[in-house]
Structures are given as C-alpha cells and as structure tokens.
Amino acid sequence: KLLLRDASVYPYVLLTSSRYGDSGHRLQLQLSPDVPQLIIDLNALTPQAVRAMASQALKGDISDELAAFLAEQADGNPFFVEQLALDLHERHLLREKDGVFGLERRDVEVPDSINTVLIARLDRLGSQVKAVVQMASVLGHEFEVRILSQMLKDDEHLPTKVKQAEAEVIWSALSDVNYLFRHALLRDAAYDMQVTERIRELHGLAGQAMEQLYANELDRYAAHLAFHFARAEDQDRERLYARLAGQRAAAQFANNDAITYLTRALELTGEDQPEECYDLLHLREQVFDRLGIRKSETSDLTALAGLAERLNDDKRRTQTSLGWASYNLATGHYADAIATARQAIEVAQKAGAVEDEAEGCIQWGRALLHQAKYAEGRAHFERALALIGDRSDPRALAIKAGAVRHLGTVAADLSDYPLARKYLEQALALSREIGDRVDEAATLNNLGNVARYEDKYEEARTYLEDALSIRRESGDRRGEEAVLNNLGEVAREEGNLTGARSYLEQSLRISREVEDRSGEGIALETLGKIAEEEGDYLRAQTYLQQSLALSHATGDRRDEDQALDDLGQLSDEEGDYAHAWAYLEQALKLAREIGDRREESQALALLGLVFHHLGNDSAARDYCQDALTIAREVGERAEQASALTLLGHALSGLGSQDEAAQAYQQSLDLRRELGEESLAMECLAGLARCALIGGKDAEALGHVEPILKFLSHEIPQGVHEPLLIYLTCYRALIANNDVRAVDVLKQGHELLEQRAQVFADDGQRKLYLERVAAHRELIAAWVAQQASIEASGLKP
C-alpha cells in the first residue's frame, strides 16, 4: 500500500510474491478499487514441470516412473524436486540406462522434510568441502571468496573446493569472486548443523578477515563487522563497529538503521565511559531531530545535559544548549529557543569559545526571524560575523557563510532583493572557498528563491537545478527533497501546476524514504495548495489534513500553524464558514503562542474574510486592520497587500466605497511592486466593483480590461475568490453593453461547474454552489442569460 500511494501518474508495475498462509488462504492486498491487480496462482508444479526440473538437476532425461515418484513425494515444490532428485542420485538410488534416469527400486525411503534432505546432502560432501561450505554459510546467502580465503589463511586448495561445491549444486558463481547459495534454506541448513561454539568462532574469524581486507574502508563494511562480532560475542569490537555503522547510516539518511546501531553501541558502552556515551547520544539526538521523534529527542538532550555536567565540560554544555535551541526552533518554541541560545552564548563566553558563541547568535537570530523581528534578527547575525572577524579556519568560515546567508534571508523576507542577492553571493563565495558543498547548495537554493520572488523563473531554475545536482552528488536526500519543493513552487507560480505536482511528488517520495516527517509535511502542504488552485478541494483537504497531523505529531508548531491557515482558507472557499472560523481561530492562537507575527497577520486577515462572507463587515474590518498593522510593523509587504485587499472587501460591504477603493489601490501598488500579476487581478476586480457601485461604468471597464487580457491565457492563481473576478468582469461588461460579457460569463460558469464536480457529497456540492455568494450570483446570471437567449430564439 505504501509503494502505491499517490502513484497513479507513474507507469510502473509492482510485482510481489508470497506463499499461502497457514490457513490455506492466499495473501490479499487491501488496495483501492482503482488500482488494477492481476493474480497469477503458481500453485504446485505440474507433472510435466516436475519432470523438466528433475531432468535439469540430473542433467539427463528421467523415466515416467521417476517423474511420477518425484511429483508425488515433492508435492510440486520446485526446490524439493531439485534437492530430492540430487539426494536420490547421491545415495545411488537411481540407475541410468540409455541416458535415462530411473528408480533403482520401488521401496525408496524418502526424508520427511526438506531440511532433512539438505542436511543429508551436506553430510555426503567430502569433509574438507563440507567445512568450506559451513564456513561460507556464516557469511550469508551471498559471500565473497576473498573473505573465505582470509578465514582459511589462504588455503591454496580453496578454489578447487569452491568449484567442487558448485559442481554439487550447493552454490553458483555470480562472478569470479562472489558466490550465491542455491537457496536460503540450503545456507541455513549448513549454518544450523554446526555447534554454537563453532559458529561463534567462525563469526570472529569472518570479522577479523574483513578487518584486514577492508582496512581502508571499515566504515563501509561497519554494519557487517558489527553483525559478525555480535555473533562472536566480542563486545568491544561490536561497539566500535556499531558506532561506525550508525555514523554511516546517519550520513546516508538511513535513519532507522542509524538509531538501531547507535542504540546498540550505547548499550555496550559502560557508565565509566561518559565521553563515548555523550558522543553517541549527540549523534542519535540529531537523527531523532531529523525524524521529528521529539519525545526521544528531548530524552537524549536531557541525558546529554546530565553528561556534560558530570564531565564538567563547557564545550559539551554549549553543544547541548545549541541542541536545545535547535529543538525549540523546530517545534516553534521561539522564546525557549532564545533562552537556550543565550545560555549557549554565556557558557561559550566563559570558556572563550568564540565560534560556539557565534553559533549561539545565529540560533538566536533565527528564532527572531521566525517571529518576523527582522531588525533584531539581523543584529544577531551581524554580531556573529563580528565575533568571527578575520578568522580563516574552516569552521569559522562556515559560520560566517551561515550568518551571511541568514542576512540574505532577512533581506529577502523584507523584499529587498538586491541586498539579498549581495549577501547570498558573498555566502556562496565563502562556501566555495572552503569547499563546503552542503553550504554551497543551501545558498544556491536561497538564490533560487530570491529569483523566484522577483519572477525571474529561468534564473531561479538555474540556481535550483545547480543546488539539486550538488545535493544528489553528495547523497544529501533531505537537501534534495527541499530543493525539489522549491522547484515545485517555481512551476506553481508560473502556472504549470502539472509540473509543480511532479516536483512535489518526487519530494514527498524522498521525504518518506528518508523518514523526514517535517519535509513530508511541507510537501503535503504545497500539494494541498496546488490541488486547491486546481479546484480539487477534496484532494486539497486530504493533503492538508495529513500535513496538519504530521506537523502536530512532530511538534513543529510553525508548520502546524500554516496548515491550519491553509485549511481555514480552503474551508472558506468551499463555503464551509463554521470550519473556516474554527481553523483560523486555532491558527491565530498558535501564532500568538509562538510569537510568529507574520502568521498572526495572515490568520487575522483570513478571519476578516470569513466574517465578510458571513455578512459581519464591522468585525471583518477590525480583523483586517489589525492584520495590516502587524504586517506593517514587521515589514511584510505581501501580507500588507493581502490585508489591504480583504480590508477593501469589508469597507465596500460597509458602504464606504471611497475608502475601499483606496485600500484596493494600495494593495494593487504593492502587488505590482512585488511582481505578483495574478494576485493583482483581485485588486483590480475590487476597484471595478467600487466603480460600478458608484455608477462609474466606464471607469469599471478600464479596471477590468487588464483582467480580461490576463484571463485570455490563464486562470488567476493564489487569489481568495477566483470566480468573483469572473463575475465582476461580467457585470462591468454588461454595464457597458460590451458583447464580451457572454463569453466571460461562460468561462466563469464552466470553471464553477468543473470545480463543483469534484465534490462526491451532494451536500458539500450544494454548499459550494449556494452558500458562496459569488458562486450563487454567477449561477443566477448564467440562468438569466440562457433564458434570455432562449426567449430571443437564438442559439446559445
């Protein structure tokens, strides 16, 4: 089910196999009805197939009598057919006449299980060959002859013994150095027929052989070494390689494996080794952070704090405080993030650890940035730069690059794109100077976003594709997933929703592969927005609910707040104002709890929209004015534009058309400054409605002309009420006796019908069509127009 999730657009086949259950029933996959399935029941081999398989194993034809005997005794099991035929031949119970094998006698004794046959076959091997087979079984189903040779101290006769076992159909060659047991059961039989002490000894030999052969790449084989030394009961070596395996797994984003190995290494590390315990816990805590397993993360951070105190180590105290700051940032506890960053700075100052102090400043600045406190955040990033000064060691330069990159983020958030580019290009040069490919990719990603904000989509794609290439080269799957998200945003803003969805679905797959639940939530949220813009409200609801659940589970309160905002806006578009109100009240409360002023402004503005739709324009005006005040305080121009548009709705509803037109015009000016053409259509439509109400029909037509030009090639994306834009254009054209009114109304009605069709529930569809005023009025206009056309005798 997991592999087939969201896979309808990909041309591939999933082939699975299974045995019948103990009850005699076959495995049933619980898949949705739209997933085509073909079940091929292999069942038992037919008598003809049994004959063919036995002939292949014996390298000759078999008699009818032997074929019938094998079919009866093996019950159609392919592996049993092969092994029983070989067993009979090795026991000299077959005779060969004229190239045809037959039974020597009828009263042949047959073993009662396949395992008995396998053990008997292995026992009949020569003692030296049998010893080699048993030794190889310790290495697994597939093994490398070089390791076997090392275990046998370079036995000069090993190649002959290996070939002899191959001739006895024990294994087959995959290459000159790799062999594969004919069946896992055959390998298991060879392994299990040895005494425990011998198995322990052989695992020890295998581990030592691998240590010698792979001395220069032990981390690559650490998982195998940890396994062998665990079976050899050599706990010191097992601990060493479990740690190496955990480090490698963490670097490759094999998160569950990393946790398993690091936990085992911790179990083997005594309390008399606090430094080792600290280092293992620190690495595991970072993996828990990546996975969003917050309870385990906090447990490890608490243990780390205790160990740092026990060791009386200021370096580790600082490191732990920085870990808490990172945790608090991820979970939206910004005041706590600042407190723990301050604690890290104080300890670093006491210890004279300038670079740790600078990192604390960066964490503090990031917390302020999340709260839209840009000036204060900028001050902390600049302080980090001042602390680093002229230091030129790699870590200092990496911190410097990070601080400069965050200064670029501040400038970008304040829409000062030239300054953002200046900072980010400095950061890019620094990361390239020290050869930090991870930081280089992060900076290219940010440059791509700045170009996107400026509507320079080709340039944005170039930056992002360069970042993606680096992420893939370095195996940074989590970083790859983030860049794919941004490429999806570029495609979305260009109006290429199909391309956007493709990027986001790739990102979603990777986030699930590397178990990055935070990244998964972000991808789901953006897919929800894409579905909403396509008018597929049910799919959007599903994605956004999944995103909300993930952000709540991981404790990521900022993403949870954004998901609540999105769900509130979606519910408002559907005409479900009760749910919209509930979602947005939760979003507002959460934004205030975490101190995120930008999100607070967004939630207030959307609540204003809901109250406007409920007919309470006084409350709507108050919410929008509060939203506008906050957006201006924090310097968020896009949020100012949004609040002004919705304030225009409320003021118009209150009959204050001049004030409404002023709000719409201010919003329009901001949208044009920001290059947000699609969103500008909503402002123009508002101005046109104000003009119509004031009897200024020609002025209204002037406002809708650029809208009509836009509608000729695309549907407005990201606006709150796209169908209200069509309705406004229709009314302005009718007021001016413009024949284009018919076509505009038709376009709007077709879009409304298309979006209404996605609702499977009749009640929801009715709510969407009748509760939303613009939709209701658009339908009424369409019905009236059709009636007029019919009455005139003209064809529609």
PDB file of all heavy atoms in Angstrom, residues 334-359:
ATOM      1  N   TYR A 334       9.815  29.625  20.270  1.00  0.00           N
ATOM      2  CA  TYR A 334      10.852  30.605  19.948  1.00  0.00           C
ATOM      3  C   TYR A 334      11.429  31.305  21.181  1.00  0.00           C
ATOM      4  O   TYR A 334      12.623  31.603  21.218  1.00  0.00           O
ATOM      5  CB  TYR A 334      10.308  31.618  18.938  1.00  0.00           C
ATOM      6  CG  TYR A 334       9.816  30.954  17.681  1.00  0.00           C
ATOM      7  CD1 TYR A 334       8.546  31.192  17.183  1.00  0.00           C
ATOM      8  CD2 TYR A 334      10.623  30.036  17.008  1.00  0.00           C
ATOM      9  CE1 TYR A 334       8.089  30.558  16.034  1.00  0.00           C
ATOM     10  CE2 TYR A 334      10.184  29.397  15.860  1.00  0.00           C
ATOM     11  CZ  TYR A 334       8.913  29.653  15.381  1.00  0.00           C
ATOM     12  OH  TYR A 334       8.458  29.025  14.254  1.00  0.00           O
ATOM     13  N   ALA A 335      10.592  31.554  22.182  1.00  0.00           N
ATOM     14  CA  ALA A 335      11.116  32.153  23.414  1.00  0.00           C
ATOM     15  C   ALA A 335      12.104  31.197  24.079  1.00  0.00           C
ATOM     16  O   ALA A 335      13.169  31.614  24.568  1.00  0.00           O
ATOM     17  CB  ALA A 335       9.972  32.483  24.365  1.00  0.00           C
ATOM     18  N   ASP A 336      11.771  29.903  24.089  1.00  0.00           N
ATOM     19  CA  ASP A 336      12.688  28.905  24.662  1.00  0.00           C
ATOM     20  C   ASP A 336      13.954  28.781  23.817  1.00  0.00           C
ATOM     21  O   ASP A 336      15.044  28.552  24.345  1.00  0.00           O
ATOM     22  CB  ASP A 336      11.998  27.550  24.763  1.00  0.00           C
ATOM     23  CG  ASP A 336      10.898  27.531  25.812  1.00  0.00           C
ATOM     24  OD1 ASP A 336      10.933  28.400  26.710  1.00  0.00           O
ATOM     25  OD2 ASP A 336      10.005  26.676  25.723  1.00  0.00           O
ATOM     26  N   ALA A 337      13.788  28.919  22.491  1.00  0.00           N
ATOM     27  CA  ALA A 337      14.965  28.854  21.612  1.00  0.00           C
ATOM     28  C   ALA A 337      15.925  29.986  21.945  1.00  0.00           C
ATOM     29  O   ALA A 337      17.146  29.793  21.999  1.00  0.00           O
ATOM     30  CB  ALA A 337      14.534  28.932  20.145  1.00  0.00           C
ATOM     31  N   ILE A 338      15.376  31.165  22.181  1.00  0.00           N
ATOM     32  CA  ILE A 338      16.218  32.309  22.531  1.00  0.00           C
ATOM     33  C   ILE A 338      16.895  32.076  23.875  1.00  0.00           C
ATOM     34  O   ILE A 338      18.096  32.358  24.043  1.00  0.00           O
ATOM     35  CB  ILE A 338      15.373  33.598  22.547  1.00  0.00           C
ATOM     36  CG1 ILE A 338      14.990  33.970  21.106  1.00  0.00           C
ATOM     37  CG2 ILE A 338      16.126  34.751  23.215  1.00  0.00           C
ATOM     38  CD1 ILE A 338      13.965  35.081  21.014  1.00  0.00           C
ATOM     39  N   ALA A 339      16.132  31.539  24.828  1.00  0.00           N
ATOM     40  CA  ALA A 339      16.697  31.294  26.166  1.00  0.00           C
ATOM     41  C   ALA A 339      17.852  30.296  26.111  1.00  0.00           C
ATOM     42  O   ALA A 339      18.903  30.504  26.751  1.00  0.00           O
ATOM     43  CB  ALA A 339      15.605  30.792  27.105  1.00  0.00           C
ATOM     44  N   THR A 340      17.693  29.220  25.357  1.00  0.00           N
ATOM     45  CA  THR A 340      18.753  28.208  25.282  1.00  0.00           C
ATOM     46  C   THR A 340      19.931  28.693  24.443  1.00  0.00           C
ATOM     47  O   THR A 340      21.085  28.353  24.722  1.00  0.00           O
ATOM     48  CB  THR A 340      18.195  26.879  24.731  1.00  0.00           C
ATOM     49  OG1 THR A 340      17.368  27.141  23.577  1.00  0.00           O
ATOM     50  CG2 THR A 340      17.348  26.162  25.768  1.00  0.00           C
ATOM     51  N   ALA A 341      19.647  29.519  23.418  1.00  0.00           N
ATOM     52  CA  ALA A 341      20.748  30.104  22.640  1.00  0.00           C
ATOM     53  C   ALA A 341      21.547  31.066  23.532  1.00  0.00           C
ATOM     54  O   ALA A 341      22.785  31.091  23.482  1.00  0.00           O
ATOM     55  CB  ALA A 341      20.203  30.842  21.421  1.00  0.00           C
ATOM     56  N   ARG A 342      20.822  31.842  24.355  1.00  0.00           N
ATOM     57  CA  ARG A 342      21.506  32.756  25.276  1.00  0.00           C
ATOM     58  C   ARG A 342      22.377  31.969  26.257  1.00  0.00           C
ATOM     59  O   ARG A 342      23.511  32.364  26.558  1.00  0.00           O
ATOM     60  CB  ARG A 342      20.480  33.591  26.043  1.00  0.00           C
ATOM     61  CG  ARG A 342      21.126  34.606  26.994  1.00  0.00           C
ATOM     62  CD  ARG A 342      20.119  35.248  27.912  1.00  0.00           C
ATOM     63  NE  ARG A 342      19.232  36.160  27.187  1.00  0.00           N
ATOM     64  CZ  ARG A 342      17.917  35.984  27.042  1.00  0.00           C
ATOM     65  NH1 ARG A 342      17.350  34.896  27.549  1.00  0.00           N
ATOM     66  NH2 ARG A 342      17.199  36.859  26.396  1.00  0.00           N
ATOM     67  N   GLN A 343      21.845  30.860  26.736  1.00  0.00           N
ATOM     68  CA  GLN A 343      22.615  30.017  27.664  1.00  0.00           C
ATOM     69  C   GLN A 343      23.892  29.505  27.001  1.00  0.00           C
ATOM     70  O   GLN A 343      24.972  29.501  27.608  1.00  0.00           O
ATOM     71  CB  GLN A 343      21.735  28.841  28.111  1.00  0.00           C
ATOM     72  CG  GLN A 343      22.344  27.972  29.190  1.00  0.00           C
ATOM     73  CD  GLN A 343      21.375  26.865  29.599  1.00  0.00           C
ATOM     74  OE1 GLN A 343      20.534  26.424  28.819  1.00  0.00           O
ATOM     75  NE2 GLN A 343      21.484  26.427  30.845  1.00  0.00           N
ATOM     76  N   ALA A 344      23.772  29.073  25.721  1.00  0.00           N
ATOM     77  CA  ALA A 344      24.949  28.596  24.987  1.00  0.00           C
ATOM     78  C   ALA A 344      25.983  29.710  24.852  1.00  0.00           C
ATOM     79  O   ALA A 344      27.190  29.491  25.004  1.00  0.00           O
ATOM     80  CB  ALA A 344      24.530  28.084  23.607  1.00  0.00           C
ATOM     81  N   ILE A 345      25.513  30.927  24.577  1.00  0.00           N
ATOM     82  CA  ILE A 345      26.418  32.065  24.413  1.00  0.00           C
ATOM     83  C   ILE A 345      27.155  32.362  25.715  1.00  0.00           C
ATOM     84  O   ILE A 345      28.378  32.598  25.726  1.00  0.00           O
ATOM     85  CB  ILE A 345      25.621  33.299  23.934  1.00  0.00           C
ATOM     86  CG1 ILE A 345      25.160  33.091  22.492  1.00  0.00           C
ATOM     87  CG2 ILE A 345      26.457  34.568  24.050  1.00  0.00           C
ATOM     88  CD1 ILE A 345      24.147  34.113  22.013  1.00  0.00           C
ATOM     89  N   GLU A 346      26.420  32.333  26.827  1.00  0.00           N
ATOM     90  CA  GLU A 346      27.031  32.640  28.123  1.00  0.00           C
ATOM     91  C   GLU A 346      28.125  31.648  28.485  1.00  0.00           C
ATOM     92  O   GLU A 346      29.212  32.019  28.952  1.00  0.00           O
ATOM     93  CB  GLU A 346      25.956  32.671  29.209  1.00  0.00           C
ATOM     94  CG  GLU A 346      25.015  33.880  29.087  1.00  0.00           C
ATOM     95  CD  GLU A 346      23.820  33.772  30.019  1.00  0.00           C
ATOM     96  OE1 GLU A 346      23.673  32.719  30.688  1.00  0.00           O
ATOM     97  OE2 GLU A 346      23.018  34.738  30.067  1.00  0.00           O
ATOM     98  N   VAL A 347      27.853  30.354  28.253  1.00  0.00           N
ATOM     99  CA  VAL A 347      28.860  29.331  28.572  1.00  0.00           C
ATOM    100  C   VAL A 347      30.049  29.456  27.623  1.00  0.00           C
ATOM    101  O   VAL A 347      31.205  29.321  28.033  1.00  0.00           O
ATOM    102  CB  VAL A 347      28.246  27.913  28.491  1.00  0.00           C
ATOM    103  CG1 VAL A 347      29.311  26.852  28.760  1.00  0.00           C
ATOM    104  CG2 VAL A 347      27.100  27.771  29.482  1.00  0.00           C
ATOM    105  N   ALA A 348      29.760  29.727  26.348  1.00  0.00           N
ATOM    106  CA  ALA A 348      30.834  29.875  25.363  1.00  0.00           C
ATOM    107  C   ALA A 348      31.724  31.065  25.711  1.00  0.00           C
ATOM    108  O   ALA A 348      32.953  31.002  25.581  1.00  0.00           O
ATOM    109  CB  ALA A 348      30.246  30.035  23.967  1.00  0.00           C
ATOM    110  N   GLN A 349      31.110  32.163  26.162  1.00  0.00           N
ATOM    111  CA  GLN A 349      31.897  33.336  26.570  1.00  0.00           C
ATOM    112  C   GLN A 349      32.804  33.002  27.749  1.00  0.00           C
ATOM    113  O   GLN A 349      33.974  33.397  27.782  1.00  0.00           O
ATOM    114  CB  GLN A 349      30.960  34.492  26.933  1.00  0.00           C
ATOM    115  CG  GLN A 349      30.283  35.130  25.727  1.00  0.00           C
ATOM    116  CD  GLN A 349      29.244  36.164  26.139  1.00  0.00           C
ATOM    117  OE1 GLN A 349      28.696  36.119  27.253  1.00  0.00           O
ATOM    118  NE2 GLN A 349      28.955  37.101  25.240  1.00  0.00           N
ATOM    119  N   LYS A 350      32.266  32.269  28.695  1.00  0.00           N
ATOM    120  CA  LYS A 350      33.039  31.866  29.875  1.00  0.00           C
ATOM    121  C   LYS A 350      34.223  31.003  29.470  1.00  0.00           C
ATOM    122  O   LYS A 350      35.327  31.123  30.026  1.00  0.00           O
ATOM    123  CB  LYS A 350      32.126  31.087  30.829  1.00  0.00           C
ATOM    124  CG  LYS A 350      32.815  30.529  32.054  1.00  0.00           C
ATOM    125  CD  LYS A 350      31.812  29.709  32.871  1.00  0.00           C
ATOM    126  CE  LYS A 350      32.511  28.950  33.997  1.00  0.00           C
ATOM    127  NZ  LYS A 350      31.570  28.073  34.737  1.00  0.00           N
ATOM    128  N   ALA A 351      34.003  30.123  28.480  1.00  0.00           N
ATOM    129  CA  ALA A 351      35.064  29.209  28.043  1.00  0.00           C
ATOM    130  C   ALA A 351      35.961  29.836  26.979  1.00  0.00           C
ATOM    131  O   ALA A 351      36.936  29.210  26.553  1.00  0.00           O
ATOM    132  CB  ALA A 351      34.441  27.920  27.506  1.00  0.00           C
ATOM    133  N   GLY A 352      35.611  31.031  26.520  1.00  0.00           N
ATOM    134  CA  GLY A 352      36.394  31.661  25.468  1.00  0.00           C
ATOM    135  C   GLY A 352      36.229  30.978  24.123  1.00  0.00           C
ATOM    136  O   GLY A 352      37.104  31.068  23.253  1.00  0.00           O
ATOM    137  N   ALA A 353      35.091  30.305  23.917  1.00  0.00           N
ATOM    138  CA  ALA A 353      34.829  29.582  22.659  1.00  0.00           C
ATOM    139  C   ALA A 353      34.070  30.508  21.709  1.00  0.00           C
ATOM    140  O   ALA A 353      32.834  30.519  21.661  1.00  0.00           O
ATOM    141  CB  ALA A 353      34.032  28.311  22.932  1.00  0.00           C
ATOM    142  N   VAL A 354      34.809  31.310  20.968  1.00  0.00           N
ATOM    143  CA  VAL A 354      34.217  32.351  20.128  1.00  0.00           C
ATOM    144  C   VAL A 354      33.297  31.766  19.059  1.00  0.00           C
ATOM    145  O   VAL A 354      32.216  32.298  18.787  1.00  0.00           O
ATOM    146  CB  VAL A 354      35.337  33.192  19.473  1.00  0.00           C
ATOM    147  CG1 VAL A 354      34.745  34.181  18.472  1.00  0.00           C
ATOM    148  CG2 VAL A 354      36.123  33.932  20.540  1.00  0.00           C
ATOM    149  N   GLU A 355      33.703  30.667  18.449  1.00  0.00           N
ATOM    150  CA  GLU A 355      32.899  30.095  17.361  1.00  0.00           C
ATOM    151  C   GLU A 355      31.580  29.541  17.896  1.00  0.00           C
ATOM    152  O   GLU A 355      30.537  29.674  17.241  1.00  0.00           O
ATOM    153  CB  GLU A 355      33.706  29.035  16.634  1.00  0.00           C
ATOM    154  CG  GLU A 355      34.844  29.656  15.808  1.00  0.00           C
ATOM    155  CD  GLU A 355      35.868  28.639  15.360  1.00  0.00           C
ATOM    156  OE1 GLU A 355      35.903  27.546  15.947  1.00  0.00           O
ATOM    157  OE2 GLU A 355      36.639  28.945  14.430  1.00  0.00           O
ATOM    158  N   ASP A 356      31.604  28.934  19.085  1.00  0.00           N
ATOM    159  CA  ASP A 356      30.358  28.458  19.690  1.00  0.00           C
ATOM    160  C   ASP A 356      29.449  29.631  20.027  1.00  0.00           C
ATOM    161  O   ASP A 356      28.223  29.556  19.869  1.00  0.00           O
ATOM    162  CB  ASP A 356      30.658  27.651  20.959  1.00  0.00           C
ATOM    163  CG  ASP A 356      31.279  26.301  20.653  1.00  0.00           C
ATOM    164  OD1 ASP A 356      31.124  25.825  19.515  1.00  0.00           O
ATOM    165  OD2 ASP A 356      31.922  25.722  21.552  1.00  0.00           O
ATOM    166  N   GLU A 357      30.047  30.723  20.502  1.00  0.00           N
ATOM    167  CA  GLU A 357      29.267  31.923  20.799  1.00  0.00           C
ATOM    168  C   GLU A 357      28.597  32.440  19.522  1.00  0.00           C
ATOM    169  O   GLU A 357      27.419  32.823  19.529  1.00  0.00           O
ATOM    170  CB  GLU A 357      30.177  33.003  21.395  1.00  0.00           C
ATOM    171  CG  GLU A 357      29.428  34.260  21.791  1.00  0.00           C
ATOM    172  CD  GLU A 357      30.346  35.346  22.352  1.00  0.00           C
ATOM    173  OE1 GLU A 357      31.550  35.066  22.548  1.00  0.00           O
ATOM    174  OE2 GLU A 357      29.853  36.467  22.568  1.00  0.00           O
ATOM    175  N   ALA A 358      29.335  32.448  18.433  1.00  0.00           N
ATOM    176  CA  ALA A 358      28.778  32.912  17.156  1.00  0.00           C
ATOM    177  C   ALA A 358      27.621  32.022  16.707  1.00  0.00           C
ATOM    178  O   ALA A 358      26.593  32.511  16.203  1.00  0.00           O
ATOM    179  CB  ALA A 358      29.870  32.944  16.094  1.00  0.00           C
ATOM    180  N   GLU A 359      27.756  30.708  16.900  1.00  0.00           N
ATOM    181  CA  GLU A 359      26.664  29.794  16.533  1.00  0.00           C
ATOM    182  C   GLU A 359      25.428  30.076  17.378  1.00  0.00           C
ATOM    183  O   GLU A 359      24.292  29.996  16.894  1.00  0.00           O
ATOM    184  CB  GLU A 359      27.110  28.340  16.692  1.00  0.00           C
ATOM    185  CG  GLU A 359      28.012  27.870  15.575  1.00  0.00           C
ATOM    186  CD  GLU A 359      28.048  26.351  15.449  1.00  0.00           C
ATOM    187  OE1 GLU A 359      27.252  25.672  16.124  1.00  0.00           O
ATOM    188  OE2 GLU A 359      28.883  25.858  14.691  1.00  0.00           O
TER     189      GLU A 359
END
